[in-house]
Amino acid sequence: MPPESRQVADYEHFLEHFSRDRDRLFGYIYALLPHKADAEDVFQRSSLLLWKKFSDYDPSRPFLPWACTIAHYEVKNFIRSVHRDRLQFDADLIDKLAETRGASTTKPDLRLEALRRCLQGIKSVERELIELMYRGDTTVKEFAEASELSVQTLYNRISLTRRKLLNCVKRRLAQQGAAT
């Protein structure tokens, strides 16, 4: 394979992994840094470093833990470089947070999959209410007027649907042996 073709294939492989896990990687970094702007800065640095080190990545292993390890060191470097300027977490706390957060990086996938399945199992009206709350296309008041229901009735139904989904997700995770 010509070097250019290999480089394009590596880039596509990297983008496939990175785009799938970028939000969770940012969440991991943000959990370690108290300021969003700092987390965004470290995320950018980590992203570049991940691309540079992608040739070291073992594709037989999960991408996210590898990326989190690299991000962990970037967080530590960032804290060392700005430590004198403002209040920051100390390195021991960062290590402990990273250890705790790293252990939970796979759990969101299980919860998300359980939620997807639970959403499929509820009535379409209930699914519409949940989408209304999280999609943001229309307000509850507008939806209430269109459906000729009171706002309070809609909030009550949304609350019941959320509880139903939460119980369903907990049941599914318990069946899988995963902690919530």
Side-chain angles (χ1 to χ4, degrees):
M1 179 181 286
E4 297 84 26
S5 297
R6 176 153 172 74
Q7 197 172 23
V8 168
D10 285 347
Y11 180 69
E12 288 173 354
H13 195 212
F14 172 77
L15 281 180
E16 176 185 326
H17 288 291
F18 184 76
S19 61
R20 183 185 61 231
D21 291 328
R22 74 179 299 283
D23 292 338
R24 287 183 293 175
L25 179 62
F26 178 78
Y28 171 82
I29 293 168
Y30 193 26
L32 300 177
L33 293 169
H35 304 288
K36 187 174 182 182
D38 294 342
E40 290 169 345
D41 186 34
V42 171
F43 177 74
Q44 290 301 318
R45 292 181 200 184
S46 298
S47 299
L48 289 172
L49 194 55
L50 287 169
W51 168 241
K52 288 177 184 175
K53 292 185 172 269
F54 191 66
S55 62
D56 298 339
Y57 169 64
D58 177 2
S60 68
R61 305 198 54 159
F63 178 79
L64 186 59
W66 176 76
C68 286
T69 300
I70 290 173
H72 173 103
Y73 288 107
E74 281 301 298
V75 167
K76 289 176 84 167
N77 287 339
F78 177 81
I79 288 171
R80 247 191 319 273
S81 70
V82 298
H83 187 47
R84 66 186 174 277
D85 294 340
R86 54 186 151 148
L87 180 62
Q88 296 288 328
F89 296 147
D90 74 351
D92 291 337
L93 178 59
I94 292 295
D95 288 341
K96 186 66 177 164
L97 288 170
E99 180 183 315
T100 303
R101 182 68 179 170
S104 68
T105 55
T106 58
K107 288 182 185 174
D109 285 343
L110 297 174
R111 285 192 288 261
L112 187 57
E113 182 56 33
L115 178 59
R116 282 187 185 120
R117 290 180 181 258
C118 291
L119 279 167
Q120 291 171 352
I122 64 174
K123 297 175 189 171
S124 61
V125 172
E126 293 172 324
R127 204 170 23 258
E128 264 186 72
L129 286 174
I130 294 298
E131 287 177 7
L132 163 75
M133 290 304 295
Y134 295 101
R135 193 180 47 218
D137 293 346
T138 183
T139 67
V140 173
K141 184 178 179 184
E142 292 168 346
F143 191 82
E145 289 170 0
S147 61
E148 297 180 0
L149 295 170
S150 74
V151 172
Q152 187 59 50
T153 299
L154 277 179
Y155 276 119
N156 290 344
R157 288 183 181 177
I158 290 167
S159 179
L160 287 171
T161 303
R162 283 180 180 155
R163 266 187 261 142
K164 183 189 272 187
L165 286 171
L166 176 62
N167 290 334
C168 177
V169 167
K170 284 182 177 180
R171 248 188 339 272
R172 285 188 176 278
L173 291 176
Q175 289 169 352
Q176 297 173 1
T180 55

